[in-house]
Amino acid sequence: MYVRTTYATGDPAKLDSVAESLSTEAPRLLSEQPGYRGMGLFVDRELGKLLVGSWWEDEESRRASDEALRARRAELIAPFAQSVATDNWEAAVVSRPEALEPGAWFRLVRLEFEPPDADLLVETFRDTALPKLRGIPGFAGGSLLIDRAKGRATVGAFYTDRNALAASRGAVAAVRAEATAKARVITRSIEEFEVILTQVIRPS
């Protein structure tokens, strides 16, 4: 699968109203597009950050949906967003949660690597990191998104609630240290978000 992410920052006071609009309108707009396979909506209310990810069955569906929805997406986030970054990814390793209860949280880790090491990163996350993450209490699923040409990747991990997310930090740091050394990657940032909405659409 393929993923498009939109990352916006702005005034925290304006975040909730935009997140509410997105949580109602975005699933409808996206579900009208061919190849749509789900979405996630995440917020950091304290700092004023909004992250939206949409999942697509192939690159053509992702590209076509972006052309169809770009203007409306900009309109929806404009009341909040002071800066916006949109990125496209290959979903290299996928373990998406089927369902999450209210109160779930999400950790996003941004990675950088040399493009020739892309397959090594995929293998390391699939065979080393993900099995260990699954043993951490509260872990509810995670995926590796990768841009092979640019040498960039993100790891997104879901936790059942904020307490589980906080309690996992030490164990996850140990997994991350082992995996990044083995895969020869650099951790660029770690962020944590409240989960507002997740949706998984299975092929009919």
Side-chain angles (χ1 to χ4, degrees):
M1 283 191 292
Y2 295 83
V3 179
R4 179 174 59 254
T5 58
T6 300
Y7 180 83
T9 62
D11 183 349
K14 299 178 181 178
L15 177 56
D16 279 345
S17 61
V18 168
E20 183 177 355
S21 296
L22 283 169
S23 67
T24 55
E25 187 163 354
R28 179 185 62 79
L29 291 171
L30 291 166
S31 64
E32 295 172 352
Q33 304 300 311
Y36 173 64
R37 291 292 173 258
M39 69 166 290
L41 172 61
F42 315 95
V43 299
D44 179 335
R45 289 189 168 92
E46 182 176 359
L47 296 181
K49 297 187 288 187
L50 172 75
L51 176 66
V52 183
S54 57
W55 292 68
W56 305 92
E57 66 182 16
D58 52 46
E59 287 185 280
E60 174 57 27
S61 297
R62 182 184 63 190
R63 184 198 60 77
S65 69
D66 189 39
E67 293 179 358
L69 299 176
R70 188 182 300 127
R72 183 56 183 147
R73 181 175 68 230
E75 291 174 358
L76 286 169
I77 65 175
F80 160 74
Q82 296 169 342
S83 67
V84 180
T86 300
D87 293 294
N88 293 308
W89 309 92
E90 170 196 347
V93 182
V94 179
S95 178
R96 298 168 71 190
E98 291 293 333
L100 290 170
E101 297 295 326
W105 277 69
F106 180 75
R107 179 179 293 121
L108 180 72
V109 180
R110 301 182 189 274
L111 305 171
E112 185 176 286
F113 59 93
E114 294 296 327
D117 290 332
D119 287 339
L120 175 62
L121 171 57
V122 173
E123 293 167 5
T124 301
F125 182 76
R126 182 189 64 219
D127 300 336
T128 300
L130 185 56
K132 292 183 177 182
L133 290 174
R134 285 175 171 148
I136 295 174
F139 178 78
S143 299
L144 170 68
L145 308 183
I146 192 168
D147 183 331
R148 294 175 182 269
K150 295 181 179 179
R152 300 182 306 151
T154 67
V155 173
F158 291 90
Y159 289 83
T160 53
D161 54 57
R162 191 171 191 175
N163 289 337
L165 178 90
S168 74
R169 289 170 184 153
V172 171
V175 174
R176 186 166 56 248
E178 178 187 2
T180 54
K182 184 175 182 179
R184 300 194 291 267
V185 303
I186 296 171
T187 300
R188 284 297 184 188
S189 69
I190 302 171
E191 300 178 82
E192 295 178 344
F193 297 86
E194 179 183 350
V195 178
I196 300 300
L197 172 69
T198 60
Q199 183 182 53
V200 176
I201 306 296
R202 299 298 179 189
S204 56

